[in-house]
Amino acid sequence: MAAIGLLTLRITLAVVFVAHGLHDLFGFFSGSGVGPGGLDQQAAYYTALGLRPGFAIAVLAGITKFAGGLLLIPGFATRWASLALVVYLGVAVWSDYRRWGFFLNWTGAPGMGQGVEYALVLIAALVCLMLTGGGEYSLDGRRSRSAESRAAARDRVRRKF
């Protein structure tokens, strides 16, 4: 059951981060209420936050979200992808979300951004993956099982001689 839980967590996080990466890099989903997307919009956002160079940071953030999400789908380099996404979210919390407090802007009040609430949930889920790995149903899990199998075979051969 734990393996299914980790698979569900990985896939859910992957969908969230791939969607956000596509929005940031290419402007996908712009008409669905998330606002204008694309690198120019993201660069302007990061520059307004005081993060420079805005365009380079927009590219790095978009690639981190998109590639990190893609790596979570099969569970390849799960711990590293999770770490990269935690660093991205940590910068987002530090540079923007913390000034709006804890809660999300549930009422849609104009001039008010989103608090740290959602970012903290994502960070906690990613830390879970960093500590546990991708689980049994992942490429990381398969690789570790085959490495354990090879090590056990070497030990059996050594004991015979």
Side-chain angles (χ1 to χ4, degrees):
M1 283 303 207
I4 294 171
L6 289 172
L7 174 66
T8 304
L9 182 62
R10 267 193 2 256
I11 298 301
T12 303
L13 288 170
V15 167
V16 168
F17 283 108
V18 167
H20 279 268
L22 286 171
H23 177 72
D24 290 359
L25 292 171
F26 308 112
F28 285 25
F29 317 112
S30 291
S32 60
V34 294
L39 286 173
D40 292 335
Q41 293 292 325
Q42 290 306 114
Y45 168 71
Y46 290 124
T47 301
L49 290 177
L51 300 172
R52 288 181 175 68
F55 192 81
I57 293 174
V59 170
L60 181 63
I63 289 173
T64 300
K65 290 188 265 187
F66 183 66
L70 286 180
L71 288 171
L72 291 178
I73 292 170
F76 181 71
T78 304
R79 288 184 165 110
W80 290 105
S82 297
L83 176 63
L85 292 166
V86 165
V87 169
Y88 160 76
L89 286 167
V91 170
V93 166
W94 170 78
S95 64
D96 187 21
Y97 304 153
R98 68 185 170 109
R99 69 183 162 136
W100 303 110
F102 181 76
F103 294 103
L104 295 173
N105 184 1
W106 290 103
T107 61
M112 183 170 173
Q114 305 296 336
V116 300
E117 181 180 16
Y118 185 59
L120 290 179
V121 171
L122 290 175
I123 289 170
L126 290 164
V127 167
C128 176
L129 288 179
M130 285 171 50
L131 295 174
T132 61
E136 187 177 334
Y137 301 128
S138 70
L139 292 178
D140 291 340
R142 182 178 180 142
R143 218 174 46 228
S144 75
R145 280 193 311 274
S146 57
E148 290 168 4
S149 172
R150 287 191 304 270
R154 282 191 303 269
D155 286 345
R156 283 192 300 274
V157 169
R158 286 183 190 136
R159 278 187 244 140
K160 287 183 180 181
F161 295 105

